[in-house]
Each structure stands twice: as structure tokens, then as C-alpha cells.
Amino acid sequence: MLTGFNHLTLAVSNLSRSFDFYSRLLNFKPEAIWETGAYLSLGELWLCLSSGPTDASASYTHYAFSVQQADFDAFRRKLLKSGVVEWQPNRSEGDSFYFLDPDGHRLEAHVGTLSSRLSECRAQPYKNMRFFD
């Protein structure tokens, strides 16, 4: 049911330092930045930087995969029925299911794209958010 890699979210201890690293040194394209995070892109890769703890047990770092809206509910039910642990509820645009793999890696199945996220953010921006276009 998963259709591909969706986005990568990295917990960062210093947002401005990480934003500079990814945009200036690695040539990621800035898409948006706000008080506690940023969206950047590199080709088809969507990267989210999220301020917060960077130790693995408390960080927001996770790997997201795309899932079609039509498959989302069945996919989520299948994983929950199999005993997969949900590590957080969805609080963002588009349906998402945040779950752990057998070794505790944080994963997400997400319906949506960087474009749909930015569109939602333009309508309801995060605190002090600005866009780069």
C-alpha cells in the first residue's frame, strides 16, 4: 500500500545553524521557515527541520512514506491489528499514521505532499512563518 518515500523530518538542536547547513552548504531549496521548524526541498526530497531534543528516545526525527488516501484507513487498521505501536497522534495536514518498526525506528505513513503542506500552511501559518517564493 505504501507508494514511495514521502519526507524526512530531522530533530535539530539549533534551527538557524541547521537551516544554514542544508540550504547554504548542501544547496537545499528553502521553502518555508517558522519559529520551530523549516521546510526545504532537494529535487523530489522534502526535508523538515524540527527544533527539539535530538536524542533518539525523545526526538521528532522520523521517516515518512507516501500512502494513497484510498488505502490509508485499511493500512492503519492492518498495522494496529498486527500489534504495531503508534508513537504519536496526527497533528498536521493530511492523514498520517505515526508508528514504530520492530526496533523502535519512528515511521510515518502520510497522505499528502510538500505542495499540499505548504498550501495548508499559507492558509494557517505556523508561528512567525515566512515563505521563500
Side-chain angles (χ1 to χ4, degrees), residues 25-38:
L25 294 178
L26 299 185
N27 210 30
F28 277 65
K29 179 184 172 200
E31 299 288 352
I33 192 167
W34 63 98
E35 193 167 289
T36 60

Side-chain angles (χ1 to χ4, degrees), residues 58-100:
S59 103
Y60 188 59
T61 296
H62 65 277
Y63 308 92
F65 300 93
S66 295
V67 62
Q68 296 295 318
Q69 183 69 61
D71 297 328
F72 179 79
D73 288 333
F75 177 81
R76 184 175 184 275
R77 280 193 306 271
K78 175 184 173 183
L79 269 62
L80 289 172
K81 186 177 179 183
S82 297
V84 169
V85 174
E86 183 174 14
W87 62 271
Q88 84 164 22
N90 183 30
R91 296 186 296 265
S92 63
E93 162 274 332
D95 284 333
S96 282
F97 177 54
Y98 297 88
F99 58 98
L100 300 177

Side-chain angles (χ1 to χ4, degrees), residues 11 14 17 21 33 41 46 57 60-61 66 75 93 95 99-102 117 120 130:
N14 182 310
R17 180 181 67 196
F21 175 83
I33 192 167
S41 62
W46 164 16
S57 66
Y60 188 59
T61 296
S66 295
F75 177 81
E93 162 274 332
D95 284 333
F99 58 98
L100 300 177
D101 80 355
R117 176 66 53 85
E120 177 71 19
R130 67 180 205 262

